[in-house]
Amino acid sequence: MNDIQGSFQRTDGAERKQQLEQRLVALLLSDPQAPAHLSHLRDHGPPGAWLAAGYVRNLVWDRLHDYRERTPLEDADVIYYDQEHPDEAEEKAWEHRLGAGCPELRWSCKNQARMHVVSGLPPYGDVADAMSCWPETATAVAAAMREDGAIAVLAPHGLEDLFALRLRPGPRLTDAGLFLRRTRSKQWLAKWPRLQLISDKDKKEELT
């Protein structure tokens, strides 16, 4: 059995949550590049920024599939919450700053204080609130490096689906078709064939 996916003794919810967060932190720390990327974001990115979504999710999926190398990233998703500067120009300035010091990644910064407008939803209260509206539970995961080098994890829907390789729509998703469109266009089931598509009305063959 894959040592990351592992097996767990029966525990209560808090212990289980802690176990999974520790596994994710260990995975990030063992990655050849993730600690440096997290450190760079801490030192040169927006205050309170998190490295989120595909950067963290894909790393877990790659390791659970025993891939020797990481699947290439389209971009590195950076999320933060700044109500005083809710404009796209500010995001682009952060992307330029991060890219200047670490050009190997295509940094994509999104201020969650304004993203509700893009999504057509009421304003988000914070980063976690915004993440809870994302299309997939496994995508709603983020990590950040503290000043002491410790890694913090943020996952409003928990990490169960991520480590169980379950591809499930987020519970607050309002556009039911968005989940399937993203799954199909991003070819997740082809890149990570052990993923389990969890949907009440749709089956894997509809995405091929």
Side-chain angles (χ1 to χ4, degrees):
M1 180 178 293
N2 190 294
D3 62 341
I4 296 173
Q5 191 166 16
S7 60
F8 297 93
Q9 296 178 348
R10 188 175 298 277
T11 60
D12 62 28
E15 289 176 320
R16 176 76 162 182
K17 177 177 180 291
Q18 184 179 32
Q19 286 180 338
L20 290 173
E21 288 183 354
Q22 289 173 345
R23 284 177 176 265
L24 179 55
V25 168
L27 188 156
L28 288 163
L29 289 174
S30 69
D31 183 76
Q33 297 175 313
H37 292 158
L38 289 166
S39 175
H40 180 68
L41 176 61
R42 179 197 62 197
D43 296 339
H44 303 286
W50 298 79
L51 196 50
Y55 185 97
V56 180
R57 180 201 63 212
N58 293 5
L59 177 60
V60 175
W61 284 354
D62 282 346
R63 193 65 66 86
L64 292 175
H65 280 73
D66 299 314
Y67 293 163
R68 289 181 175 271
E69 297 183 1
R70 290 201 62 173
T71 300
L73 285 168
E74 294 180 7
D75 48 38
D77 294 298
V78 173
I79 58 174
Y80 64 103
Y81 194 88
D82 182 1
Q83 291 179 298
E84 295 184 3
H85 305 93
D87 55 271
E88 189 174 3
E90 189 78 8
E91 298 169 357
K92 297 301 180 184
W94 285 117
E95 291 173 1
H96 178 76
R97 181 174 180 179
L98 288 166
C102 184
E104 66 197 64
L105 291 179
R106 181 177 179 270
W107 298 91
S108 175
C109 297
K110 292 291 184 289
N111 183 356
Q112 301 304 301
R114 78 170 186 89
M115 293 308 294
H116 67 283
V117 177
V118 178
S119 303
L121 296 172
Y124 302 131
D126 52 25
V127 166
D129 186 31
M131 291 173 64
S132 71
C133 295
W134 288 1
E136 308 88 26
T137 56
T139 299
V141 58
M145 182 173 285
R146 300 191 179 104
E147 290 298 327
D148 63 359
I151 294 179
V153 172
L154 184 61
H157 299 309
L159 297 171
E160 292 279 356
D161 283 349
L162 177 62
F163 277 94
L165 292 172
R166 289 192 292 258
L167 188 54
R168 185 197 308 271
R172 296 181 65 184
L173 182 63
T174 57
D175 180 358
L178 178 60
F179 169 74
L180 286 176
R181 292 195 298 273
R182 280 171 52 86
T183 301
R184 183 183 298 111
S185 65
K186 294 179 179 293
Q187 299 182 316
W188 285 329
L189 297 174
K191 294 177 181 177
W192 296 282
R194 297 179 192 170
L195 288 174
Q196 307 166 58
L197 184 67
I198 308 296
S199 177
D200 292 337
K201 64 177 183 177
D202 303 290
K203 301 183 183 297
K204 179 182 289 190
E205 55 263 31
E206 295 178 10
L207 298 168
T208 58

